[in-house]
Amino acid sequence: MSDNSQSFVRVLGRGDVLALGFGAMIGFGWIVLVGDFVSAAGSAGAALAFVIGGVIMAFVGLAYAELVAAMPHAGGEHHYAMRAIGPKGAFTASWAMILGYVSVVAFEAVAVPQTLVYLFPDMAVGRLWTVAGYDVHAGLVAVGVAAAVLMTAVNYVGIKPASVFQTIAVLFLLLTGAAMVTGAFVGGSVDNMRPLFTGGAPGMFVVLVAVPFLFVGFDVIPQSASEIRLPYRVVGTLLVLSVFCATAWYVMVMLTAGSGLGPAELADSELASADAVAAMWDSATMGNLLVLGGVAGLLTSWNAFLIGGSRLIYAMAASRMLPAWFGRLHPRFRTPSNAVLFVGALSLVSPFFGEPMLGWLVNAGGLNIVVGFVTVVVSFLVLRRREPAMERPFTVPAGVPVGVVALVLSVGLLLLYLPGMPAALSWPNEWLMVLVWWVAGAALMWRLPRITAGPDAERRLVEVMDARSRPDPRA
């Protein structure tokens, strides 16, 4: 396969890659969901649940790590499934992940202004209309649209500016983490953490249900593989390391917030982590610092998923699965500029739907991201069996058993979204989003020819699709 991704600029180093993966996983849930988690499982129980969730994600991450080191091309999952399963498998993985990524980007465009309201209540002015019982305000829409334009512009002009932005935001996020840890020693109390465990297994299950949403993001690293200037083995190592860093972050938040306020007080708080820090430091200013940390988390996720989604759309276009317009690299900035504009344009729309859009996007996107996880793990197992001699700069020890465990765990996460399960999608809003997306996908997939999987599957697919598009000389 001729690698179009060589046209990208390789500028991302170790710190950039780690900030990309870690920042993608740390959104806003650590601010608002702590009260629910501690109430359900206790502070230590919630922390233990995140350790378990981190282990689950680490198994899936190991499969990704081996594949990204072996096939370091922009578009990650697209190339793994193409080689292992063929074009239809590649389309399934890519189409699922694109909805997941776009949903996160759109989520952030709504969540940023909704979060800033806590600091600037006067922003919620100019009622426009009502969606699902919630008022949509012109002030919040304006902030969301402005933020979407800014984030899109940063990504349009190059991966390096986007990476610098990511690193600065992650450093600020770490500053707020230091404030939480220090505050726990200054004004925290072990008495606030009691009972350490409550609710038993059902309580921990409440936390585990949130794992797909809170940990998604390490998979953004493979999307930008063509822009990383590191040995391929190191890229795989950093991917797994980012999962462990996110696990440590969530464990830290559960324990420190639990030491600042008791379970009942955390449960009654809209911004539990911020209120806990304000109590530990006896300072409203420190609580506001945590809210700004939450905004930083939103921006790091937004930036990372805009990078990931645009690169995946680019890869599909390069394989002729999407119109060639999406596969254009900017001649100066070396970014998939049209794909960036497309994802950015979608994020401009979501603020007009207001707060109800948050839940719809999380659930519909989460289901599709887990579909992508399952496809990647299947690809990992298929390639281990079919191509044992394939060069693997990062090789997972006990690869097949690890892959089987990852498959079982990822299928288990997928089941959580089905009717009757704790994270089941709602009808009509969430299921309708998923159904419309996949009906459109089925129409595009129907065009794909029958191409057997293998190392040159993408090259053969491109040749067939290009031949179809050329005019018949006999006509």
Side-chain angles (χ1 to χ4, degrees), residues 198-268:
T198 186
M204 295 182 65
F205 195 71
V206 170
V207 183
L208 290 174
V209 165
V211 162
F213 173 64
L214 295 177
F215 275 91
V216 66
F218 65 85
D219 46 292
V220 171
I221 293 175
Q223 310 306 337
S224 56
S226 295
E227 294 154 287
I228 298 174
R229 54 172 174 80
L230 295 171
Y232 300 144
R233 177 183 56 80
V234 174
V235 178
T237 302
L238 290 172
L239 188 150
V240 178
L241 179 60
S242 71
V243 175
F244 286 116
C245 288
T247 303
W249 175 270
Y250 285 122
V251 169
M252 177 276 294
V253 169
M254 295 304 114
L255 296 178
T256 55
S259 72
L261 291 174
E265 294 169 297
L266 287 173
D268 290 338

Side-chain angles (χ1 to χ4, degrees), residues 221 270 409:
I221 293 175
E270 285 190 89
L409 294 174

Side-chain angles (χ1 to χ4, degrees), residues 134-353:
Y134 289 85
D135 291 338
V136 178
H137 294 92
L140 301 187
V141 170
V143 172
V145 169
V149 170
L150 174 63
M151 296 301 296
T152 303
V154 168
N155 277 271
Y156 186 90
V157 299
I159 185 66
K160 193 59 182 178
S163 174
V164 170
F165 175 89
Q166 185 81 354
T167 301
I168 293 172
V170 166
L171 289 174
F172 183 78
L173 194 62
L174 295 177
L175 174 65
T176 63
M180 292 192 75
V181 173
T182 307
F185 288 100
V186 171
S189 170
V190 175
D191 291 335
N192 287 332
M193 302 174 70
R194 295 193 174 96
L196 295 175
F197 295 90
T198 186
M204 295 182 65
F205 195 71
V206 170
V207 183
L208 290 174
V209 165
V211 162
F213 173 64
L214 295 177
F215 275 91
V216 66
F218 65 85
D219 46 292
V220 171
I221 293 175
Q223 310 306 337
S224 56
S226 295
E227 294 154 287
I228 298 174
R229 54 172 174 80
L230 295 171
Y232 300 144
R233 177 183 56 80
V234 174
V235 178
T237 302
L238 290 172
L239 188 150
V240 178
L241 179 60
S242 71
V243 175
F244 286 116
C245 288
T247 303
W249 175 270
Y250 285 122
V251 169
M252 177 276 294
V253 169
M254 295 304 114
L255 296 178
T256 55
S259 72
L261 291 174
E265 294 169 297
L266 287 173
D268 290 338
S269 171
E270 285 190 89
L271 298 177
S273 294
D275 287 343
V277 167
M280 288 187 292
W281 286 97
D282 192 23
S283 168
T285 300
M286 294 303 291
N288 291 337
L289 175 68
L290 259 287
V291 176
L292 291 175
V295 174
L298 290 171
L299 294 177
T300 57
S301 293
W302 191 340
N303 189 52
F305 283 101
L306 184 50
I307 292 171
S310 60
R311 272 60 178 176
L312 196 47
I313 290 172
Y314 165 85
M316 292 188 75
S319 295
R320 311 302 191 263
M321 292 182 179
L322 293 178
W325 184 84
F326 290 107
R328 176 181 178 271
L329 283 181
H330 194 282
R332 176 184 173 190
F333 302 128
R334 314 312 298 168
T335 58
S337 49
N338 290 341
V340 170
L341 291 175
F342 175 72
V343 178
L346 292 177
S347 68
L348 290 175
V349 176
S350 56
F352 291 90
F353 290 88

Side-chain angles (χ1 to χ4, degrees), residues 381-403:
L381 289 169
V382 168
L383 290 172
R384 270 298 183 111
R385 179 177 180 181
R386 184 194 298 151
E387 299 188 47
M390 183 176 76
E391 184 178 357
R392 293 174 170 86
F394 180 98
T395 304
V396 177
V400 172
V402 168

Side-chain angles (χ1 to χ4, degrees), residues 432-458:
L432 198 57
M433 289 174 65
V434 173
L435 290 174
V436 168
W437 182 255
W438 281 103
V439 166
L444 291 170
M445 194 188 301
W446 179 79
R447 301 170 49 250
L448 299 179
R450 291 182 177 274
I451 301 288
T452 55
D456 62 342
E458 186 167 356

